[in-house]
Amino acid sequence: MFFKLKSFFNVVAISLGFYACLTLTSCVSNSEKKDKAELFMHRGISLIEAGNLPGALKDLLSAQDLDPKNPIIQNNLGLVYFMREKLDISIQHFTKAIELNNSYTEARNNLSRVLIEKKKFKEAQSQLQIVMNDLTYGNQEGANINQGLLYFNKGEFLKSQEAFLKTLQFNPENCLAQSFFGRAYLELNNTAKAAEALDRAVSLCQRELFDEPHFYSAIAHFRIGEKEKAKTRFNEIIKFYPKGKYKEKARAMLDLIEKGTEL
């Protein structure tokens, strides 16, 4: 029975191949398109990693034109649009990737991250549940971070810390997990532990040019009475992150400290 079944599938494959390739030109053209699409896609991914998002988008859109049903291309387009803060377009591409491949857990995990940003918490949790249930998924670290971000944004700070701690136990040098672990302490008014955790995040995140831990570390130190340490942190933001999103906030905080205002 197994042999006959296997033979049947071989016949179907040959028949389908025959009808798909009635002309050699169309088959070669299809193959060439996919090859070119893959080249554009890989170059686009390299440009994402290099921080050249406009160039990455251009190449990935070219890849999509050549191979519109490739879920990996759709996933990477979703990433670029997310990084360009075009969240609705990002959701469209991640959703398309999942439609093309329902088992594409990485795209689901990425989709959950955008849904969290959009404060669509119920939908994000639904996607994350599928991600968590996929025991073959190799990026549980990323899934735990998204779970932590979901709880954090919902104001469930103890639960968020549990999720971030899972990541930190696996990878103690994860910048984002350490940063939000410390921020959760700050939200829970455990300021001393917040300062300690955020100082660790500062050292981890500098190499990734992520200035957020610096800012909240300064806030934590100010609240426990370490005014000079707070000023040092704010000044470091201005010095080390001249294009960071917290630069102007740091300047404003320094002005408030000089005026004797409570933070």
Side-chain angles (χ1 to χ4, degrees):
M1 176 63 77
F2 174 77
F3 176 76
K4 289 182 179 178
L5 191 61
K6 184 179 178 183
S7 297
F8 171 74
F9 281 123
N10 284 339
V11 170
V12 170
I14 291 167
S15 298
L16 289 174
F18 174 75
Y19 287 115
C21 295
L22 285 173
T23 65
L24 182 60
T25 306
S26 67
C27 293
V28 171
S29 174
N30 243 2
S31 175
E32 285 178 349
K33 279 185 177 181
K34 287 184 182 294
D35 288 345
K36 285 181 181 178
E38 192 165 344
L39 287 172
F40 276 119
M41 180 184 72
H42 285 300
R43 193 167 71 179
I45 292 169
S46 296
L47 289 170
I48 292 174
E49 292 170 350
N52 183 350
L53 298 182
L57 181 58
K58 183 179 178 181
D59 276 350
L60 288 167
L61 287 172
S62 296
Q64 178 183 236
D65 288 342
L66 291 163
D67 192 1
K69 293 186 178 181
N70 185 320
I72 301 174
I73 293 171
Q74 295 299 323
N75 179 62
N76 282 288
L77 277 167
L79 286 173
V80 174
Y81 280 116
F82 175 70
M83 295 167 79
R84 297 294 299 269
E85 299 183 352
K86 302 294 183 184
L87 302 186
D88 290 332
I89 304 175
S90 176
I91 287 172
Q92 291 172 17
H93 285 287
F94 288 135
T95 302
K96 182 67 174 178
I98 296 165
E99 288 172 355
L100 291 167
N101 179 3
N102 193 51
S103 300
Y104 197 177
T105 305
E106 182 69 20
R108 274 188 201 282
N109 196 37
N110 290 334
L111 175 60
S112 73
R113 177 69 183 88
V114 192
L115 291 170
I116 292 165
E117 200 72 21
K118 292 280 289 182
K119 300 193 182 304
K120 295 184 177 183
F121 300 137
K122 189 174 181 180
E123 293 176 48
Q125 183 60 68
S126 177
Q127 294 296 334
L128 274 173
Q129 195 58 56
I130 299 171
V131 172
M132 295 291 192
N133 288 339
D134 183 0
L135 300 181
T136 68
Y137 182 47
N139 186 21
Q140 284 300 320
E141 182 178 339
N144 286 328
I145 286 177
N146 283 344
Q147 188 71 67
L149 289 171
L150 175 62
Y151 285 132
F152 186 92
N153 281 275
K154 289 173 68 177
E156 299 177 32
F157 301 113
L158 286 174
K159 284 186 177 180
S160 78
Q161 282 190 315
E162 290 175 10
F164 292 129
L165 193 57
K166 288 179 182 177
T167 293
L168 292 170
Q169 287 170 341
F170 178 77
N171 179 10
E173 296 192 352
N174 188 292
C175 155
L176 194 62
Q178 184 65 51
S179 179
F180 274 91
F181 185 74
R183 285 190 60 188
Y185 272 131
L186 201 57
E187 295 291 342
L188 292 164
N189 294 316
N190 194 337
T191 321
K193 284 194 174 182
E196 183 183 338
L198 286 162
D199 281 347
R200 282 200 297 272
V202 164
S203 63
L204 293 174
C205 297
Q206 272 186 312
R207 60 188 173 220
E208 298 183 26
L209 300 178
F210 185 49
D211 58 349
E212 189 170 282
H214 249 98
F215 183 81
Y216 288 101
S217 169
I219 298 290
H221 281 290
F222 184 87
R223 289 182 183 174
I224 58 176
E226 297 178 349
K227 181 177 174 181
E228 291 305 315
K229 181 72 171 178
K231 288 170 66 176
T232 298
R233 285 282 187 242
F234 285 133
N235 279 311
E236 285 172 350
I237 292 173
I238 296 165
K239 179 180 178 181
F240 297 130
Y241 304 99
K243 295 182 180 179
K245 71 174 185 176
Y246 285 94
K247 179 184 175 181
E248 294 309 317
K249 290 183 180 181
R251 289 189 191 279
M253 289 297 181
L254 285 168
D255 288 341
L256 289 174
I257 291 172
E258 290 305 318
K259 293 173 183 175
T261 308
E262 289 296 318
L263 303 186

